[in-house]
Amino acid sequence: MQDAEKSTQESTLATEQEVAKKGRYGILAMVFITVVINYMDRTNISVAAGALSEDLSLTTVQMGLIFSAFGWTYSIFQIPGGITVDLIKIRILYPFILTAWSIATIVQGLVSSFAALVGCRMAIGVFEAPSYPCNNKVVTQWFNENERAGAIAVYTSGQFIGLAFLLPVLAIIQEYFGWRGLFIISGVVGIVWAVVWYILYRDPEDNTTDQKAKVEKQEEAPAVMENTKFTVKDIAKVFMVRKLWGVYIGQFCLGGVLMFFLTWFPTYLVEYRGLDFIKSGFLASIPFLAAFCGVLVSGFVSDALTRKWGVSKEVARKAPIIAGMLLSTSIIGANYTDDTFWIVTFLSIAFFGNGLASIAWIFVSLLSPKRYLGLVGGAMNFIGALSAVSVPVIIGFLVSGGDFRPALVFICALAVAGMCSYLFLIGKIEEVKLD
């Protein structure tokens, strides 16, 4: 009898564990889709840029300001957004911000002035600000430490694989419905997904199957973080640690390289390399596919190094980021060729490197005390988002004379600076003392 009862218990536990595993992967798939929509609404402006600037008679400097307007509020609201993530359940917060930035995207397709476009981009920045702290909290709650780099790689890949396939689609949508239709359709997709998220997602404390299965296996359960009140002193603390500044500066440089691809890249291909609009959409997708490969290689290799081969965190977590930043410097090679194949090749290698370095969010989980997880994530994304403020405007000025080569030199310099940040500022990977 006891053997039969024990066998039944083991069978039940195995079933619960399988359900828990599928549940976590389902949640990760939801985060992935949300990231795709997030970046679609950030970057549809780059696809619309040519037609939009022609219709409204905008200069390259004005377009640079429109590109960067998202970053103004996105960066300012990172810390408030991170605190909000620590205070409000993800099931409630994510659908709200998704709906809000999608409405701003729709309005973007209805306005007709430079000032109104800037205002819409700023509104999108406000409501997208908590999104990546949300993503990081979901993964930290649902996945153990030795699974997180892979999980982060999967959802981060959404910004690359999603756009790789979406860029040609967005170009075709604009071809048939114009740049206004492009914004409206993008916004409607976001609102629909917000409803789906609210219906399907559950916070860990509301879904005990995963926790129960892990406790019975005597494994480390994913972290469940309590809501916390923050003071101004707490906010100051996360800017007073050298290790964290290594991550912050690295994120700025990583974001700077990314911002080139999210804003000026289609314009570079069409206006400076003479490609037609539809062809540029398909060619622009190749570097995004390369970045997708880079981020997956980075995440799963990094996890395998620590889990299977016992490689130290310093090597397993830092090496992909440093190697990725180094590869990103290859972007400068496009300055020395007029051959479309080699231009796309150099840009693809650079973006592969950017993808390889994109698991930087793992350092928030590794360095931050659990109480400060959202706040440190907000601080990191605040500094990183300053690249969205500055880089598009800087490029706008650099290319105003009709030459794009100085802009690529600038992007190369950012990659070098990011590599140095991880090499010399972070040091040993261990939880920092903030209390």
Side-chain angles (χ1 to χ4, degrees):
M1 269 307 273
Q2 288 182 343
D3 289 343
E5 189 174 318
K6 183 178 179 181
S7 176
T8 301
Q9 289 176 345
E10 289 176 350
S11 177
T12 302
L13 177 58
T15 301
E16 288 177 344
Q17 291 166 359
E18 185 63 26
V19 170
K21 186 177 181 181
K22 289 180 179 178
R24 291 197 300 278
Y25 290 157
I27 286 168
L28 187 58
M30 290 176 65
V31 176
F32 174 89
I33 293 170
T34 309
V35 170
V36 172
I37 294 171
N38 183 308
Y39 272 79
M40 175 181 69
D41 290 335
R42 294 190 196 191
T43 58
N44 49 22
I45 189 75
S46 69
V47 175
L52 185 153
S53 61
E54 183 177 347
D55 283 356
L56 303 182
S57 302
L58 302 174
T59 67
T60 59
V61 173
Q62 286 177 311
M63 284 307 303
L65 289 169
I66 291 171
F67 286 149
S68 74
F70 166 87
W72 304 346
T73 48
Y74 186 74
S75 57
I76 291 170
F77 280 85
Q78 279 305 306
I79 293 175
I83 293 173
T84 303
V85 169
D86 285 330
L87 298 177
I88 300 176
K89 286 186 175 183
I90 300 297
R91 187 188 179 209
I92 303 299
L93 179 61
Y94 228 151
F96 171 76
I97 62 174
L98 238 171
T99 301
W101 90 58
S102 296
I103 291 172
T105 300
I106 292 172
V107 174
Q108 196 175 225
L110 304 175
V111 300
S112 298
S113 70
F114 169 73
L117 283 169
V118 168
C120 288
R121 296 298 294 174
M122 290 174 68
I124 294 170
V126 170
F127 294 111
E128 286 199 8
S131 58
Y132 261 69
C134 277
N135 299 338
N136 195 56
K137 185 174 181 179
V138 170
V139 166
T140 301
Q141 286 180 322
W142 284 99
F143 289 84
N144 293 325
E145 183 180 314
N146 63 1
E147 301 173 314
R148 283 179 201 155
I152 290 171
V154 169
Y155 79 67
T156 304
S157 72
Q159 70 193 49
F160 301 123
I161 189 65
L163 292 177
F165 292 108
L166 279 178
L167 280 173
V169 174
L170 294 177
I172 292 170
I173 289 173
Q174 178 172 301
E175 186 74 11
Y176 285 96
F177 299 99
W179 62 269
R180 295 185 184 277
L182 174 61
F183 291 140
I184 293 169
I185 291 171
S186 298
V188 170
V189 169
I191 292 173
V192 171
W193 182 247
V195 174
V196 173
W197 178 280
Y198 182 77
I199 293 171
L200 297 181
Y201 183 79
R202 293 295 182 273
D203 292 287
E205 59 267 32
D206 299 327
N207 188 331
T208 59
T209 303
D210 185 77
Q211 300 292 329
K212 181 179 178 182
K214 283 187 171 291
V215 169
E216 291 181 0
K217 284 183 70 180
Q218 295 184 344
E219 293 181 1
E220 174 203 0
V224 177
M225 285 142 307
E226 298 179 357
N227 292 344
T228 308
K229 292 183 179 180
F230 290 97
T231 66
V232 174
K233 288 183 179 179
D234 289 323
I235 296 173
K237 288 176 185 176
V238 303
F239 289 103
M240 297 174 67
V241 181
R242 184 179 120 169
K243 284 181 185 295
L244 296 181
W245 270 105
V247 179
Y248 300 160
I249 295 172
Q251 188 71 2
F252 176 89
C253 297
L254 183 71
V257 177
L258 177 62
M259 285 311 299
F260 163 73
F261 286 96
L262 296 186
T263 56
W264 283 102
F265 182 39
T267 302
Y268 170 68
L269 293 179
V270 173
E271 296 188 12
Y272 294 86
R273 291 300 185 176
L275 301 178
D276 67 76
F277 185 72
I278 297 295
K279 185 178 180 180
S280 74
F282 284 94
L283 287 178
S285 70
I286 297 173
F288 282 92
L289 287 172
F292 165 72
C293 294
V295 72
L296 289 186
V297 167
S298 179
F300 289 109
V301 168
S302 180
D303 274 350
L305 287 173
T306 56
R307 187 171 61 244
K308 294 182 179 179
W309 295 299
V311 175
S312 69
K313 291 180 182 179
E314 277 72 22
V315 174
R317 302 312 194 192
K318 285 184 184 178
I321 296 174
I322 293 169
M325 294 287 192
L326 181 61
L327 286 174
S328 291
T329 63
S330 65
I331 196 170
I332 201 168
N335 278 349
Y336 300 97
T337 180
D338 292 320
D339 188 289
T340 300
F341 171 82
W342 284 109
I343 291 168
V344 174
T345 298
F346 282 124
L347 293 170
S348 297
I349 293 171
F351 213 15
F352 174 85
N354 191 261
L356 203 63
S358 291
I359 61 162
W361 273 95
I362 188 67
F363 285 91
V364 176
S365 297
L366 294 174
L367 299 180
S368 171
K370 292 295 183 289
R371 188 171 90 85
Y372 291 89
L373 192 70
L375 185 56
V376 171
M380 171 181 164
N381 231 20
F382 165 68
I383 301 297
L386 291 178
S387 65
V389 176
S390 56
V391 170
V393 177
I394 292 170
I395 293 176
F397 279 100
L398 290 174
V399 305
S400 60
D403 186 358
F404 220 97
R405 286 176 296 180
L408 298 190
V409 172
F410 169 63
I411 298 301
C412 178
L414 282 178
V416 172
M419 181 174 61
C420 292
S421 177
Y422 275 92
L423 278 172
F424 302 118
L425 290 181
I426 293 178
K428 185 179 180 181
I429 298 176
E430 58 187 2
E431 187 176 291
V432 300
K433 305 296 183 184
L434 294 176
D435 287 318

